Amino acid sequence: MYNLQSVVQRLEEEGLRITPSRLAVVAAVLDLSGHFSVDDILSQVPEVGRATVFRTMKLLSEMDVLCRVLLDDGSLRYRVSQRQDHHHHLVCVSCASVQELDACIDPEVLNELARTTGYEIEGHWLEFFGRCTACRSDSA
Amino acid sequence: MYNLQSVVQRLEEEGLRITPSRLAVVAAVLDLSGHFSVDDILSQVPEVGRATVFRTMKLLSEMDVLCRVLLDDGSLRYRVSQRQDHHHHLVCVSCASVQELDACIDPEVLNELARTTGYEIEGHWLEFFGRCTACRSDSA
DNA sequence: TAGATTATTGATACCAAGTATCAATTACAC
DNA sequence: GTGTAATTGATACTTGGTATCAATAATCTA
């Protein structure tokens, strides 16, 4: 679980400078629990330039502070990572809630896939969509 | 396996008009075996307007003549479907080759996911990336 | 086969997400 | 406090896609 201090420390460890713009962006993303777009952050920190918000969010993604979340329409969002290892998401299609999942592709399936196709498997995208408990009871 | 005639028939069945622009776009996509972007098609049929190419490819996607292919960077491409039912892809990261797959998420995994998260699962994205046999031997 | 009608087109303008450029600024090490 | 290299933000650009709308043309029907 990240807070402003721990992210600042991560930035310092990477030899990056702590600037007001970066602090503002980090604080803004840490304030959100679901997924969000760059524009969501931009509207939270209008004093920071657009390019800088993009740059900072890219930085945070590379540092695994943020991860990218794929929506069902194929568009990408961001989210504060709870875990830094490989994982997938279950995204609510009604609200912006996201669950991080333990489940991944069975290694046996990957072997089978490599065997039958002749491909050397390098990676995969796996994201699930559904309606969270709260949204289900809202419309019930 | 589609050809120009069968797609034209599908269009007629949908009550859509057969226009030179549509024929040109359909012929262009049928000519490609791997995945492609709208701009790839645009450059094949410069006489057709940009909006019309987008519209036609959207149409063809809705008719399951084309399907969308997700790349590892999160960008979307298109591809002529070999099968009209739900399926996933294995995409070569070196060339544009795509394999359509039988494998899907184990229903038991979906049940388990619904049970542990309380979500009603509605869908998922699953795409695999790797290097195809040809590309592997090229760089070996 | 000629209209009439309605879908379709394509030019254009727009939007969203993201990158490249570059002069001006500023964090930080000394 | 100063030098310097990293960073910023304005701007322009790119890519992928949608909205608008007058002009056109595919098809239906008489």
Side-chain angles (χ1 to χ4, degrees):
Chain A
M1 212 54 169
Y2 286 110
N3 55 36
L4 192 57
Q5 271 199 343
S6 60
V7 176
V8 166
Q9 194 181 332
R10 292 285 315 278
L11 287 167
E12 286 172 340
E13 283 165 13
E14 301 275 340
L16 297 164
R17 294 186 177 174
I18 310 305
T19 68
S21 294
R22 281 183 178 158
L23 286 175
V25 172
V26 172
V29 301
L30 290 180
D31 206 39
L32 296 169
S33 60
H35 60 72
F36 48 82
S37 65
V38 174
D39 274 336
D40 292 331
I41 301 304
L42 254 174
S43 60
Q44 295 296 308
V45 289
E47 75 275 16
V48 180
R50 212 172 90 90
T52 298
V53 174
F54 271 100
R55 280 187 289 238
T56 306
M57 287 184 55
K58 189 176 184 186
L59 248 180
L60 295 174
S61 299
E62 286 161 2
M63 291 166 59
D64 290 319
V65 171
L66 296 182
C67 53
R68 301 191 309 166
V69 176
L70 181 67
L71 301 194
D72 52 355
D73 65 358
S75 63
L76 285 173
R77 289 290 129 78
Y78 298 85
R79 164 166 214 269
V80 179
S81 293
Q82 306 300 311
R83 41 192 291 180
Q84 274 59 65
D85 56 340
H86 175 82
H87 64 271
H88 302 288
H89 301 110
L90 168 55
V91 185
C92 179
V93 294
S94 299
C95 65
S97 296
V98 180
Q99 300 285 318
E100 293 186 347
L101 304 176
D102 294 313
C104 189
I105 304 296
D106 182 347
E108 197 38 60
V109 170
L110 290 178
N111 287 336
E112 173 74 12
L113 196 56
R115 206 155 46 229
T116 56
T117 62
Y119 277 57
E120 183 185 352
I121 311 296
E122 294 186 349
H124 57 267
W125 264 113
L126 173 59
E127 306 276 87
F128 294 92
F129 309 100
R131 289 166 56 76
C132 72
T133 321
C135 289
R136 289 172 68 188
S137 52
D138 276 357
S139 64
Chain B
M1 212 51 168
Y2 286 110
N3 55 35
L4 192 55
Q5 271 201 342
S6 61
V7 176
V8 166
Q9 195 181 332
R10 291 284 315 277
L11 288 167
E12 285 172 341
E13 283 165 11
E14 302 274 341
L16 297 165
R17 294 184 177 173
I18 310 306
T19 67
S21 295
R22 282 184 177 156
L23 287 174
V25 171
V26 171
V29 301
L30 290 180
D31 206 40
L32 296 169
S33 61
H35 61 73
F36 48 83
S37 64
V38 173
D39 274 336
D40 292 332
I41 301 304
L42 254 172
S43 60
Q44 296 295 307
V45 289
E47 74 276 14
V48 180
R50 209 172 91 91
T52 298
V53 173
F54 272 100
R55 280 188 289 238
T56 305
M57 288 184 56
K58 191 177 181 185
L59 249 180
L60 295 174
S61 300
E62 285 161 3
M63 291 166 58
D64 292 318
V65 171
L66 296 182
C67 52
R68 301 191 308 166
V69 177
L70 181 68
L71 301 194
D72 52 356
D73 66 358
S75 63
L76 286 174
R77 291 288 129 79
Y78 298 86
R79 163 165 215 270
V80 179
S81 294
Q82 307 300 309
R83 43 192 292 180
Q84 275 58 66
D85 56 340
H86 175 83
H87 64 270
H88 301 288
H89 301 111
L90 168 55
V91 184
C92 179
V93 295
S94 299
C95 65
S97 294
V98 180
Q99 300 285 318
E100 294 186 346
L101 304 177
D102 294 313
C104 189
I105 305 296
D106 183 346
E108 198 38 59
V109 170
L110 291 178
N111 287 337
E112 172 75 11
L113 197 55
R115 208 158 42 231
T116 55
T117 62
Y119 277 56
E120 183 185 352
I121 311 295
E122 294 186 350
H124 57 268
W125 264 113
L126 173 60
E127 305 276 88
F128 293 92
F129 308 99
R131 290 168 55 77
C132 71
T133 321
C135 289
R136 289 172 68 189
S137 53
D138 277 357
S139 64

